Amino acid sequence: MAALPNDRLMVAISSRALFDFEEENRLFETGDDQAYMALQMQRLDEPAAPGVAFSLVNKLLAFNRDRPRVAVVILSRNDPVSGMRVFRSAQSHGLTLERGVFTRGESPWRYLRPLQAHLFLSANEADARSALAAGVPAARVLPHASRASDAHPNELRIAFDGDAVLFSDEAEQVFQRDGLEAFQQHEIERAARPLPPGPFKPLLDALTRLRQSTPETGMGLRTALVTARGAPAHERAIRTLMAWQVPVDEAMFLGGWDKGPFLAEFEPDFFFDDQTRHVENAASHVPAGHVDAGTMNGR
């Protein structure tokens, strides 16, 4: 038996995040799991359509071209019988998936600990929240979100919000408590002091390591910081990334403008944000997920 990889980027993903199982899920949520299992068996040879995070996973696996660098594991509330359709759908779409955990309605997030996952994506809000509470970068995908553009087949593109996602929500707390002027003064005074890391800092570190392999894989990696911050609060964000020694290719300091149109131009395979209004705005343009962290989420 192969040991768990300690040098790979480890991604855990639910079946609904990877594939479009929304019709099947409506039956699942009625509580009639026998009817749900029967439907999945009936459709066993019918590949499920790609879901919101399909492009992200497909491109991550492309980094394994010459040697294993990324591992993707299905972590699902599906039952084991229905899990067969997940694997068959993956095979039909050319995804090399070998591992899965299926829990028949129970929350699967606890298996993230032995997986040592760098990222967990799920359409289930409670599972994503539990994963974040356990210290795993996690987001609730919006199944109705737009699918990724196919304009960059050889480049993985990921966009992140800053506060409460890449960074802690230290500054956001000042903004919510004391207003914009106090927030800007707070950030000016601390411009040279790196922000504490947020819940997605470990994923950014793992992506930085993956970036080093791009010459061998033929895959590129492009990241963007897309934040409601504007000048003069931009400087602390930039200096924080410099102090962490992690490259970010693009930075958009939007000063409160809607992020969706700018993300539509960047064309990410996935966007992460802690504020539901930003996630919903983005979802009409790009694949998006909600990070249930920070003061805006009562954390």
Side-chain angles (χ1 to χ4, degrees):
M1 296 292 291
L4 281 174
N6 55 17
D7 61 343
R8 295 194 218 177
L9 192 159
M10 175 67 74
V11 175
I13 186 167
S14 74
S15 56
R16 279 181 65 205
L18 184 58
F19 295 115
D20 184 352
F21 280 134
E22 293 315 293
E23 182 183 349
E24 292 87 346
N25 184 65
R26 285 190 287 273
L27 181 58
F28 181 82
E29 290 182 343
T30 67
D32 188 351
D33 64 344
Q34 293 297 323
Y36 172 80
M37 292 167 62
L39 178 61
Q40 290 285 35
M41 282 301 297
Q42 177 185 331
R43 297 179 175 179
L44 186 60
D45 295 317
E46 180 182 329
V52 176
F54 181 91
S55 180
L56 174 69
V57 168
N58 188 38
K59 289 184 180 180
L60 279 170
L61 290 172
F63 282 90
N64 293 336
R65 189 165 298 172
D66 61 329
R67 67 177 179 84
R69 292 184 172 88
V70 178
V72 177
V73 178
I74 298 293
L75 200 58
S76 173
R77 287 175 177 252
N78 262 311
D79 63 278
V81 173
S82 302
M84 289 194 298
R85 188 177 180 215
V86 178
F87 279 118
R88 287 204 184 184
S89 294
Q91 184 179 26
S92 176
H93 287 288
L95 298 182
T96 304
L97 300 181
E98 299 177 354
R99 298 173 177 88
V101 176
F102 301 95
T103 60
R104 194 172 181 177
E106 294 294 320
S107 177
W109 71 267
R110 62 190 182 276
Y111 294 108
L112 292 167
R113 285 191 289 262
L115 284 174
Q116 302 172 43
H118 296 101
L119 176 65
F120 176 50
L121 293 176
S122 174
N124 185 285
E125 183 176 2
D127 289 347
R129 184 186 302 124
S130 296
L132 271 174
V136 178
R140 175 180 61 87
V141 305
L142 274 61
H144 63 272
S146 296
R147 300 318 191 237
S149 165
D150 59 1
H152 310 281
N154 297 313
E155 185 174 66
L156 172 64
R157 293 184 163 220
I158 303 180
F160 301 92
D161 179 34
D163 298 285
V165 179
L166 290 183
F167 315 131
S168 80
D169 72 334
E170 168 194 299
E172 181 67 34
Q173 291 181 41
V174 174
F175 176 72
Q176 294 300 323
R177 184 181 64 245
D178 301 322
L180 178 60
E181 186 175 342
F183 163 77
Q184 291 180 336
Q185 187 60 36
H186 180 273
E187 293 304 276
I188 291 170
E189 293 172 354
R190 293 162 178 77
R193 185 187 305 174
L195 283 154
F200 271 65
K201 169 66 158 47
L203 175 60
L204 188 61
D205 289 338
L207 289 171
T208 299
R209 294 190 293 272
L210 186 66
R211 183 189 290 267
Q212 298 168 359
S213 69
T214 55
E216 293 83 17
T217 64
M219 286 294 296
L221 173 61
R222 192 166 187 84
T223 53
L225 171 66
V226 184
T227 173
R229 284 176 178 250
H234 70 293
E235 184 170 333
R236 192 179 186 195
I238 295 173
R239 288 185 176 273
T240 297
L241 295 170
M242 292 171 61
W244 290 350
Q245 297 184 335
V246 291
V248 171
D249 301 292
E250 300 190 22
M252 305 176 201
F253 299 100
L254 301 181
W257 283 355
D258 286 343
K259 299 180 180 183
F262 293 88
L263 287 162
E265 297 300 326
F266 179 65
E267 298 179 307
D269 295 289
F270 212 86
F271 169 60
F272 300 97
D273 200 297
D274 70 301
Q275 295 193 35
T276 53
R277 70 181 185 91
H278 290 315
V279 177
E280 288 289 351
N281 180 259
S284 62
H285 301 276
V286 300
H290 177 236
V291 178
D292 192 2
T295 187
M296 293 298 291
N297 293 295
R299 305 290 173 239

